[in-house]
Amino acid sequence: MAQFPTFTSSFPLSAAALTECWKLDAGLATTLQPRQAGVFRVAQGEVWATVNGMQHGEAELPGDRLLKAGDSLQLQAGQRLVVESWNPAAPAPVYFSWEPVAEVVWDGRREAASAGAQWRGGVVQPSRDLAQALRSAAAAAARLVLGLVGLGDYLVVGRGRTV
């Protein structure tokens, strides 16, 4: 059975008779106040639904509406939804589900990792390669200077002269 931790209820819900659904007995009402955005969906029966709590970027406008099997409401965190089983002709329980929407939280890690990879591949590694090349060039230049000094000394002192 699905966990339903994202709302507070005004009464304990009975056991779900449908897989992944919650049962609301005939004539009863409950209040849902999600801690995160999600979708309230009627699986079987009809409910009278009242949505309260305007929020920035709210998907559903507040107010009353009748929802039948297959209908759904998108709720934002903190909104309040009061639902009551509704079928005056033949009172019957209602089955509904709550599907939390995974929150998209930008923490910059993926972008930072991508930017970091670009930085490492496009700047850091070429800088290291250039530094290594410059060290090699400096070492080669130093050996060349020492070689020329040694050759000059050899020629000046006369050890390399032939008579």
Side-chain angles (χ1 to χ4, degrees), residues 65-121:
R65 60 199 70 167
L66 184 63
L67 301 174
K68 298 180 181 185
D71 291 343
S72 63
L73 288 174
Q74 292 183 6
L75 299 175
Q76 301 298 318
Q79 274 189 297
R80 190 177 69 211
L81 172 66
V82 178
V83 291
E84 178 182 357
S85 63
W86 184 262
N87 191 349
V94 173
Y95 296 92
F96 64 91
S97 65
W98 173 256
E99 302 159 15
V101 175
E103 293 184 38
V104 178
V105 178
W106 185 87
D107 63 3
R109 282 185 278 186
R110 174 176 279 168
E111 288 78 4
S114 176
Q118 289 176 354
W119 173 258
R120 284 188 300 277

